[in-house]
Amino acid sequence: MTVKSTARARKKAAPGVPDTLRAKGTDAQPELVQLLTPEGERVEHKDFPLTTTPEELRALYRDLVLVRRFDAEATALQRQGELGLWASLLGQEAAQVGSGRAMRTGDYAFPTYREHGVAWCRDVDPLNLLGMFRGVNHGGWDPNEKNFHLYTIVIGAQTLHATGYAMGVSKDGADDAVIAYFGDGASSQGDVNEAFTFASVYNAPVVFFCQNNQWAISEPTTTQTKIPLYRRASGFGFPGVRVDGNDVLACLAVTRWALDHARSGNGPVLIEAFTYRMGAHTTSDDPTRYRLAEETEAWKAKDPIIRLKALLEKEGLADEEFFASIDAESEQLGLRVREGVRSMPDPDPTLIFDHVYAEPHALVDEERAEYLEYAASFEAGENL
């Protein structure tokens, strides 16, 4: 069977597009897929059913707590001068953990620079992330080992990388899918829109996961778009869906559906995870200069960890001993992260020249020699 016939066979067997995702008029109110209310009540959605065991719910709670603890420790380390910069995910844990746990082993993720929760789900050691922000490694993990690409600082560029990779997956006839993460601000970038075009035309098995945290640094979403972001997908010819980004169960169910839809030969899907960036854009930002405290307080009531804990308590699926054990584990993680960062050895400064090109390069060799001469001048006291 040829690759094309295999793709056609997969497409015929693929799940259809739910009625709730079909194109609607611009006056229609956005539908928010939600399976867990802010009060911790479990609700059903006809298009995105989800069955979970008590063990799976407790595992998701553990993920959320540990990811938040790691993120908090990283922020503290940056404030104490141990990291050059940090982009906090505070408030976005459910979007990242839910989508991260929806992936299969063979699926491939292309992150921005804030997907610490997805990295956790792909078994990337938190210390490797911090090593990059400390400037002692070049990413710190093997992307092909984890199926988790290195962080991308250029806004939106990773969507093109993801689409190209997904096109390759399709040509190989593999039963895998790709997921690309980006923010609401990045949705205005040309790269993202070009990725949408290529993915649609080539029917690439890629899920575009937009974390709409309401703020593109200091610009609100209202300055980015006049319609909900997920509706942009219809203009490119593929389905879009808005999910409660603070609901880990909804993010898990919707992303699982989207990845299956893509891997089955039906092409891309756009997911808009409607969430909120509780902290600063990065540690160099001051959000109090451009947004109201009342807005942040309102979103605190939608906290992803609190609502899942409420469900576990209401359903009798976890007791105080369980919650205490997770809190203790989170403290151990924080301690390991802090000690690990402070004990990281400084790299040889010339390593920055070693992997610019695959083969030796005359200009790089010249620049390395100039740097070594400059560094040696400090030892000789010339620049003191």
Side-chain angles (χ1 to χ4, degrees):
M1 184 179 286
T2 65
V3 171
K4 288 186 177 180
S5 61
T6 301
R8 283 196 295 270
R10 294 207 316 267
K11 186 171 183 178
K12 290 179 180 178
V17 178
D19 290 338
T20 53
L21 303 193
R22 299 189 184 280
K24 299 177 176 66
T26 55
D27 293 333
Q29 290 298 312
E31 177 173 355
L32 188 72
V33 177
Q34 187 179 85
L35 300 182
L36 183 62
T37 70
E39 295 74 30
E41 297 292 338
R42 183 72 165 85
V43 295
E44 299 297 328
H45 193 288
K46 65 184 183 65
D47 291 325
F48 301 101
L50 180 69
T51 301
T52 54
T53 66
E55 291 76 14
E56 289 170 334
L57 291 175
R58 288 192 290 266
L60 288 171
Y61 179 81
R62 174 181 178 270
D63 284 336
L64 295 175
V65 172
L66 295 186
V67 165
R68 178 170 291 185
R69 181 65 182 85
F70 157 63
D71 180 71
E73 192 64 37
T75 299
L77 285 166
Q78 193 283 329
R79 296 303 190 199
Q80 294 162 11
E82 301 290 349
L83 303 178
L85 187 73
W86 185 249
S88 174
L89 59 64
L90 183 62
Q92 299 177 222
E93 297 90 352
Q96 296 190 17
V97 169
S99 61
R101 290 304 182 194
M103 284 188 278
R104 297 181 185 175
T105 302
D107 295 338
Y108 207 109
F110 286 79
T112 63
Y113 46 78
R114 198 189 301 276
E115 274 65 59
H116 320 312
V118 185
W120 172 269
C121 294
R122 301 307 277 178
D123 293 325
V124 175
D125 190 326
L127 285 174
N128 280 335
L129 294 176
L130 296 178
M132 184 186 72
F133 285 94
R134 190 175 171 86
V136 301
N137 63 37
H138 301 291
W141 62 91
D142 181 354
N144 293 325
E145 176 190 351
K146 305 297 184 181
N147 275 19
F148 184 76
H149 200 263
L150 298 180
Y151 275 7
T152 302
I153 307 301
V154 178
I155 306 300
Q158 71 281 359
T159 58
L160 284 172
H161 307 158
T163 300
Y165 191 94
M167 290 165 65
V169 167
S170 181
K171 290 183 180 296
D172 288 343
D175 187 29
D176 298 320
V178 178
I179 184 167
Y181 291 89
F182 60 101
D184 47 295
S187 68
S188 297
Q189 291 287 339
D191 284 3
V192 174
N193 290 270
E194 290 170 11
F196 286 178
T197 298
F198 271 89
S200 178
V201 171
Y202 286 92
N203 217 47
V206 57
V207 173
F208 297 106
F209 195 94
C210 175
Q211 293 176 81
N212 180 0
N213 64 18
Q214 312 300 313
W215 291 93
I217 308 182
S218 59
E219 294 296 321
T221 308
T222 52
T223 66
Q224 301 288 325
T225 179
K226 294 184 70 174
I227 63 171
L229 292 175
Y230 77 95
R231 289 188 188 157
R232 288 183 174 180
S234 62
F236 292 89
F238 55 88
V241 56
R242 174 181 275 191
V243 62
D244 184 343
N246 286 19
D247 177 354
V248 68
L249 301 184
C251 290
L252 174 63
V254 171
T255 308
R256 185 177 288 168
W257 170 84
L259 288 168
D260 286 343
H261 178 93
R263 80 173 83 254
S264 299
N266 283 294
V269 176
L270 170 62
I271 297 174
E272 178 192 358
F274 200 72
T275 181
Y276 192 79
R277 193 195 76 212
M278 294 299 293
H281 173 67
T282 68
T283 46
S284 63
D285 171 47
D286 179 8
T288 63
R289 298 179 62 185
Y290 53 81
R291 68 185 190 189
L292 299 175
E294 291 83 355
E295 179 179 287
T296 306
E297 288 299 317
W299 276 90
K300 281 184 180 181
K302 305 175 184 180
D303 186 274
I305 296 179
I306 292 176
R307 68 171 71 179
L308 183 54
K309 183 177 183 180
L311 174 68
L312 291 171
E313 291 176 331
K314 289 178 181 179
E315 299 294 330
L317 303 178
D319 55 20
E320 287 304 317
E321 183 179 355
F322 167 77
F323 294 121
S325 69
I326 298 300
D327 290 341
E329 186 180 1
S330 72
E331 289 305 310
Q332 287 300 312
L333 175 62
L335 181 61
R336 180 172 80 85
V337 165
R338 174 168 292 276
E339 293 179 345
V341 166
R342 289 180 166 175
S343 63
M344 287 178 180
D346 293 334
D348 181 345
T350 62
L351 288 176
I352 196 172
F353 300 100
D354 289 354
H355 302 291
V356 178
Y357 293 99
E359 302 293 334
H361 193 282
L363 178 59
V364 175
D365 292 342
E366 179 182 342
E367 291 174 340
R368 180 190 290 108
E370 289 179 355
Y371 175 78
L372 287 171
E373 182 180 356
Y374 174 72
S377 70
F378 284 91
E379 298 179 8
E382 298 174 14
N383 290 309
L384 296 180

